[in-house]
Amino acid sequence: MNWLIVLIIAKPQPMKILKLSTLQKIYFFLFLHLIIVIVDMFLHRFDFVFLFYSLISSIVLGLLGREIALHRLWSHRSFKTYRFIEYILMIPSILMLVGSSIISAGVHRSHHAYSDTAKDPDFYTSWTKALLFLRSNPLYFERRFVKDLIQDPLHIYCHKYYFYIHMTISILLLYILKIHLFAWIISLSIAINFFGYLLFHKICHTKNFIGNYRNFNTNDISHNNWLLFFVHPGYGLHNNHHQDTAQYHFGKISDQVDPVGFFIKYFLLKK
């Protein structure tokens, strides 16, 4: 079945070394969060105010857990921060349910190494497969892509107990927020981030999509998209990021603003 995916860290030869996790588990927990949302809708009437809260929460949690922590800090090492901040950022990164920092960094670094080729783990010709992260073959990345992270006790521990930590955080938040707030602020936010990221990535790697443009002639088909700025500040500057992955601030041109880059500079950057 094409939705059963095994994520594997591997040396170039041989490829298969160690089974880490499965997309099947991620989808299982994602399904549980969606069930919570559905149950809450039966228990309470639909509320546009809570939908607004959910959208705000998805942006904040997505930017902290996925864009800042998993992407700019751990996947690209584009800035240095204090150790206690890494511990704090680990919480929303695990809550986002996209895989441990080791898996996320390994897959994303592979994406940049083989961008828009058959070896790119994020390359899809089909929109359906891209939006649901469906693959017909196992997903691999080479051990060298995560050599730094597998030497860090924090990342090793959170990788080993990733789903237990996610479940613990979720249960604790459910107890504190109760089901109504938890369903909209946490569960729905997780789903929005999961599928939203897949959508944004596919848009930024599609030619002639509405809002797309390129500042740099990179060796791939990465694009910026000015429309994405309004729903995911910073991600819309995707072509800029592919031009120089070592920079935490994606605004390369004077009229391009990257709020995430400014936040990192003034609040997270180690002095």
Side-chain angles (χ1 to χ4, degrees):
M1 290 182 290
N2 64 354
W3 52 272
L4 292 177
I5 300 176
V6 178
L7 289 169
I8 297 176
I9 281 186
K11 294 179 180 179
Q13 294 294 333
M15 287 297 287
K16 295 184 179 180
I17 295 294
L18 178 67
K19 187 171 83 169
L20 295 179
S21 181
T22 63
L23 187 62
Q24 185 181 12
K25 290 181 181 179
I26 292 177
Y27 270 123
F28 172 74
F29 279 94
L30 182 64
F31 175 75
L32 291 181
H33 282 289
L34 290 175
I35 288 295
I36 291 174
V37 175
I38 294 171
V39 169
D40 182 74
M41 286 184 178
F42 277 105
L43 296 176
H44 304 88
R45 64 182 178 84
F46 182 84
D47 194 330
F48 283 102
V49 173
F50 278 90
L51 179 60
F52 174 75
Y53 291 160
S54 179
L55 294 175
I56 296 300
S57 175
S58 67
I59 292 173
V60 173
L61 291 175
L63 290 178
L64 289 174
R66 190 157 197 165
E67 182 60 26
I68 292 176
L70 292 174
H71 187 204
R72 304 195 193 193
L73 178 58
W74 295 321
S75 289
H76 291 294
R77 296 294 192 184
S78 60
F79 69 96
K80 292 183 178 181
T81 190
Y82 300 97
R83 188 64 168 177
F84 79 92
I85 292 180
E86 288 199 57
Y87 277 89
I88 294 173
L89 290 176
M90 187 62 77
I91 296 173
S93 77
I94 293 176
L95 193 60
M96 285 297 92
L97 202 57
V98 293
S100 70
S101 54
I102 291 176
I103 288 177
S104 296
V107 171
H108 193 70
R109 291 172 183 179
S110 296
H111 160 65
H112 280 276
Y114 308 115
S115 191
D116 296 319
T117 69
K119 296 178 70 175
D120 180 357
D122 289 330
F123 177 71
Y124 297 90
T125 56
S126 164
W127 275 84
T128 301
K129 289 185 176 181
L131 297 182
L132 296 178
F133 202 56
L134 300 177
R135 300 178 63 88
S136 55
N137 58 305
L139 179 62
Y140 299 95
F141 57 83
E142 297 167 21
R143 195 181 192 90
R144 63 187 176 93
F145 287 129
V146 292
K147 187 178 289 186
D148 57 327
L149 295 176
I150 60 178
Q151 295 175 358
D152 188 317
L154 171 63
H155 296 281
I156 289 293
Y157 181 87
C158 291
H159 170 77
K160 184 176 181 180
Y161 299 106
Y162 179 81
F163 291 103
Y164 295 105
I165 298 172
H166 175 84
M167 188 166 52
T168 301
I169 296 172
S170 297
I171 292 173
L172 183 61
L173 289 174
L174 179 59
Y175 176 78
I176 295 171
L177 299 174
K178 309 306 179 187
I179 187 170
H180 192 43
L181 274 176
F182 181 85
W184 290 90
I185 295 178
I186 304 300
S187 292
L188 189 56
S189 296
I190 290 171
I192 291 173
N193 264 284
F194 185 89
F195 294 108
Y197 173 83
L198 297 174
L199 172 63
F200 298 160
H201 186 85
K202 180 60 177 174
I203 288 174
C204 290
H205 283 269
T206 299
K207 295 180 179 179
N208 303 319
F209 195 89
I210 183 171
N212 276 3
Y213 66 97
R214 283 166 65 89
N215 286 330
F216 303 97
N217 187 27
T218 54
N219 295 323
D220 51 42
I221 58 173
S222 63
H223 286 75
N224 294 336
N225 186 289
W226 63 269
L227 289 172
L228 292 184
F229 176 84
F230 299 101
V231 291
H232 195 304
Y235 198 90
L237 300 175
H238 197 69
N239 175 243
N240 290 12
H241 168 55
H242 270 250
Q243 192 271 335
D244 187 357
T245 60
Q247 299 299 317
Y248 67 82
H249 197 292
F250 295 172
K252 305 291 186 182
I253 300 175
S254 58
D255 63 343
Q256 292 179 331
V257 179
D258 179 13
V260 178
F262 284 114
F263 182 81
I264 291 172
K265 179 179 180 180
Y266 293 109
F267 297 99
L268 302 179
L269 198 64
K270 191 173 184 179
K271 308 301 181 183

